[in-house]
Amino acid sequence: MGEMLTGAQILCRELAAAGIDTIFGYPGGAIMPFYHALPEFPGLRHILVRHEQAAAHAADGYARATGRVGVCVATSGPGATNLVTGLATAHMDSSPVLAITGQVSRPMIGRDAFQETDVIGLTLPITKYSRLVPDITQLAASVREAIAIATEGRPGPVVLDVPKDVQNQKLAYEPGPRGGAPGLAARGQSGNGGAPTSASLEESVREAARLIGEASRPLLMIGHGVILGNAYDEVRALAEKTGIPVITTLLGISAFPESHPLHLGMPGMHGEVHVNRAIQHADLIVGIGLRFDDRVTGNTAAFAPRAKIVHVELDRAEIGKNVKTAVGIVGDARTVASLLTDQVRARNCDDWMAEIRGFVRPRAESFSGDLSPEAILASIHEITGGRCTIVTDVGQHQMWVAKHYPYERANTHITSGGLGTMGFAVPAAMGVHLARPSETVWAISGDGGFQMNMAEMATMVQEGLSVKMAIFNNGYLGMVRQWQQFFHEKRYSCTPIWSPDYVKLADAYGIPGWRVEQRTQLDDVVRAASVHRGPALVEFVIAQEANVFPMIPPGGSLSEPIEAAPAGAPAV
Ligand SMILES: Cc1ncc(C[n+]2csc(CCOP(=O)(O)OP(=O)(O)O)c2C)c(N)n1
Ligand SMILES: [Mg+2]
């Protein structure tokens, strides 16, 4: 006979037993039994955020930095609905987040009870799995199952909606078996998106190796799956044995060292001209752990017109979804990269590399004033000695970081790639900091995105989270303004954005804050913020109408980059 526990206690026990040490959350009526039990579990550190969206982003940041599940908790109704953007963000970027939501008691469900929302209905399309726990007898297994689903195969967010009376039910609790997820196989979720038989895997790898051997202009295009699958070394070995140049997508940044002679850069809408040209001239693209997103391909009809595509993906559903594939290999990046490395003959691509070098264009970006984003990023890199994880928000600054920060170490670039969620950086950086306490973590936001979740500064102060916040202040919702400049007759409708005095704001939170307007101030401030023990804020005042170049117009082909502002546009 097991110990009599409440559902809330069982929830906590199961989380602790699964190795969870950090929970991001916010209490409320329907989740109160859980919060009542929580102090009995000192191993579960709770971070009280200022908005549930931040809890989901922080759990996501924690998950991306560790590869383990990140946990967030909210009450029913508005608490749960506030999680939605964070869950959709995690879903689009394959991040293993477990969200636990309180639900109204079972007899009240379906009666428009106070703070009742159909959380399953809301979250089913933006999660990997979402379940209302109907009874305490199913609670422990549900937690194990949810964590297994979140982390196995292609990771993703999961929701457990736990009615308040289930949290209060009592049961003689027997700790269940660890490491397995009952019911997983029964639902046809094999955990690897449906692995092919080893015979077909061997066959497709052999075919891919043959294509690599025959190609004269091959490219490796690597994405988030290389980071999620810890395939850093294996992909590098494949590149080095074959000499194939390597392209990293936005979420693939930091999956390959940027100083490596084979590294070309980022493709797509804001990709470098030589990278996109290489794609358009390639006769073979080996894509590993990516989904050929439309920001990468531009107009798919005109994408890589000369290339056969080999697509290595853990999720079978991705293969052939966006681009026509000659060989699809269902498998994890690490296994397949090493199988491919064994199969390919050693070769080089020196002629092809020389051709690509000929595509390189002089930098199109220019900044009025000397405080360029590039200078800021060089300073952060130098002063942290590269021992730094950068979490970016969404907009122009995100692209500048992607293009100019010299990433060398695996998984040190964290951003919302798929959903493109403004407001992500500050809360996600809290999760990254908790996952990597000995590393400097910079959250780099625009003045727009920072204002979306800046309330989390209070969380950082209360919980002692040493996140360094950089605000690239251009006075605009810059990326939207750039589109208005190019595609909407320079009508800057609703994109100028006012900011508070950020130095005073920092002061109000009791944390150090600086405003940097000139290059000469840069290094001293970045150093002071980096070494400060605790959260710190730096506002970088940058040129108002700087643009991200080159740019492929939305729906355009990679062959048609815009490399300068239209005639008559404001000077940049
Ligand atoms: C939540 C959300 N709302 C709106 C957008 C659309 N959007 C994309 S970039 C951008 C402008 C971002 O401005 P800012 O944070 O100042 O960054 P900047 O582009 O100026 O560097 C907007 C509004 C978005 N991506 N996310
Ligand atoms: Mg801005």
Side-chain angles (χ1 to χ4, degrees):
M1 179 77 178
E3 200 181 342
M4 285 304 283
L5 296 181
T6 64
Q9 287 171 317
I10 292 173
L11 251 179
C12 293
R13 282 260 180 124
E14 285 295 327
L15 293 175
I20 308 297
D21 52 15
T22 309
I23 294 173
F24 304 90
Y26 209 93
I31 193 74
M32 284 191 67
F34 172 84
Y35 276 91
H36 182 80
L38 197 56
E40 297 162 24
F41 298 85
L44 297 175
R45 179 175 180 192
H46 184 272
I47 305 293
L48 179 69
V49 293
R50 294 302 183 269
H51 187 295
E52 291 87 349
Q53 181 188 353
H57 289 323
D60 184 354
Y62 183 93
R64 294 188 203 216
T66 57
R68 300 199 309 270
V69 72
V71 180
C72 55
V73 175
T75 192
S76 65
T81 57
N82 276 350
L83 291 177
V84 165
T85 301
L87 292 173
T89 304
H91 188 53
M92 288 292 274
D93 289 351
S94 309
S95 184
V97 168
L98 166 63
I100 296 170
T101 47
Q103 182 52 280
V104 300
S105 291
R106 287 169 297 176
M108 304 302 290
I109 290 177
R111 300 171 63 186
D112 289 338
F114 177 64
Q115 294 192 327
E116 181 186 2
T117 301
D118 176 1
V119 173
I120 306 305
L122 270 179
T123 58
L124 261 180
I126 52 160
T127 53
K128 198 173 169 191
Y129 176 70
S130 178
R131 175 170 206 231
L132 184 127
V133 181
D135 191 77
I136 190 171
T137 52
Q138 297 185 34
L139 186 56
S142 297
V143 175
R144 274 175 258 145
E145 184 178 52
I147 291 174
I149 292 171
T151 48
E152 283 177 8
R154 181 181 183 173
V158 295
V159 172
L160 283 183
D161 197 29
V162 192
K164 187 171 185 177
D165 60 331
V166 173
Q167 296 172 50
N168 281 327
Q169 272 184 300
K170 288 199 167 159
L171 182 77
Y173 171 72
E174 303 276 4
R178 300 245 65 86
L184 203 62
R187 278 200 324 281
Q189 300 225 7
S190 67
N192 62 359
T197 61
S198 56
S200 70
L201 178 64
E202 265 170 38
E203 212 172 282
S204 49
V205 166
R206 209 175 311 121
E207 176 61 5
R210 193 183 63 77
L211 291 177
I212 290 173
E214 281 176 1
S216 44
R217 293 184 175 82
L219 290 174
L220 268 177
M221 197 186 274
I222 64 174
H224 201 196
V226 173
I227 290 172
L228 291 168
N230 279 320
Y232 197 75
D233 292 339
E234 288 74 9
V235 165
R236 184 175 170 160
L238 175 63
E240 287 176 350
K241 186 168 178 189
T242 54
I244 304 184
V246 179
I247 290 173
T248 40
T249 69
L250 177 62
L251 286 177
I253 289 174
S254 79
F256 197 81
E258 305 225 340
S259 63
H260 197 287
L262 291 173
H263 186 254
L264 294 184
M266 185 173 79
M269 178 171 273
H270 289 295
E272 304 303 335
V273 170
H274 67 276
V275 177
N276 286 340
R277 277 230 200 157
I279 291 171
Q280 297 305 76
H281 285 76
D283 60 1
L284 180 71
I285 292 178
V286 180
I288 306 183
L290 78 167
R291 63 194 157 90
F292 291 100
D293 172 270
D294 54 276
R295 284 290 195 266
V296 163
T297 61
N299 179 357
T300 44
F303 174 72
R306 302 172 176 89
K308 287 187 177 146
I309 294 179
V310 172
H311 193 178
V312 180
E313 241 296 327
L314 191 51
D315 184 352
R316 182 191 287 275
E318 290 297 346
I319 294 177
K321 184 173 91 177
N322 292 335
V323 292
K324 201 162 156 273
T325 305
V327 180
I329 307 179
V330 182
D332 78 282
R334 191 172 182 176
T335 309
V336 178
S338 66
L339 287 173
L340 267 173
T341 308
D342 291 344
Q343 288 273 332
V344 290
R345 65 176 170 80
R347 59 168 293 182
N348 69 59
C349 299
D350 294 350
D351 293 347
W352 170 222
M353 202 61 181
E355 197 179 332
I356 295 172
R357 270 191 219 104
F359 299 154
V360 174
R361 303 290 274 268
R363 279 277 306 282
E365 285 160 4
S366 61
F367 298 95
S368 52
D370 63 352
L371 192 59
S372 68
E374 206 174 354
I376 299 166
L377 298 169
S379 176
I380 292 177
H381 181 255
E382 198 183 307
I383 281 159
T384 57
R387 296 216 62 79
C388 172
T389 298
I390 309 259
V391 187
T392 58
D393 216 75
V394 174
Q396 291 182 311
H397 62 282
Q398 177 191 32
M399 292 299 119
W400 286 319
V401 176
K403 285 153 67 80
H404 301 310
Y405 191 85
Y407 289 96
E408 289 298 310
R409 293 162 51 233
N411 197 16
T412 49
H413 169 259
I414 290 178
T415 198
S416 165
L419 201 67
T421 307
M422 283 173 70
F424 172 81
V426 166
M430 299 195 302
V432 175
H433 164 73
L434 282 158
R436 299 181 181 168
S438 57
E439 177 148 334
T440 309
V441 177
W442 276 91
I444 300 183
S445 313
D447 41 338
F450 183 76
Q451 292 187 71
M452 282 197 171
N453 275 326
M454 66 186 185
E456 295 309 318
M457 279 192 289
T459 308
M460 293 178 199
V461 172
Q462 183 168 350
E463 305 285 350
L465 309 180
S466 182
V467 171
K468 314 303 169 187
M469 290 164 279
I471 304 160
F472 281 25
N473 189 355
N474 53 10
Y476 277 106
L477 299 173
M479 187 56 94
V480 180
R481 185 208 57 73
Q482 177 171 341
W483 281 47
Q484 290 172 329
Q485 180 180 349
F486 284 81
F487 312 118
H488 292 271
E489 300 146 12
K490 291 179 235 145
R491 184 179 288 184
Y492 294 168
S493 167
C494 306
T495 43
I497 187 166
W498 178 88
S499 279
D501 180 329
Y502 289 115
V503 177
K504 280 191 183 158
L505 186 72
D507 191 44
Y509 282 92
I511 68 175
W514 294 266
R515 177 176 302 115
V516 176
E517 286 170 288
Q518 282 160 10
R519 177 77 185 81
T520 48
Q521 304 166 282
L522 187 55
D523 290 348
D524 287 346
V525 170
V526 170
R527 187 172 299 106
S530 294
V531 301
H532 174 74
R533 286 171 185 272
L537 176 152
V538 186
E539 174 194 11
F540 296 99
V541 181
I542 60 165
Q544 289 217 313
E545 295 178 39
N547 287 318
V548 183
F549 288 124
M551 179 187 196
I552 306 293
S557 138
L558 294 190
S559 305
E560 301 157 355
I562 299 172
E563 293 181 67
V572 292

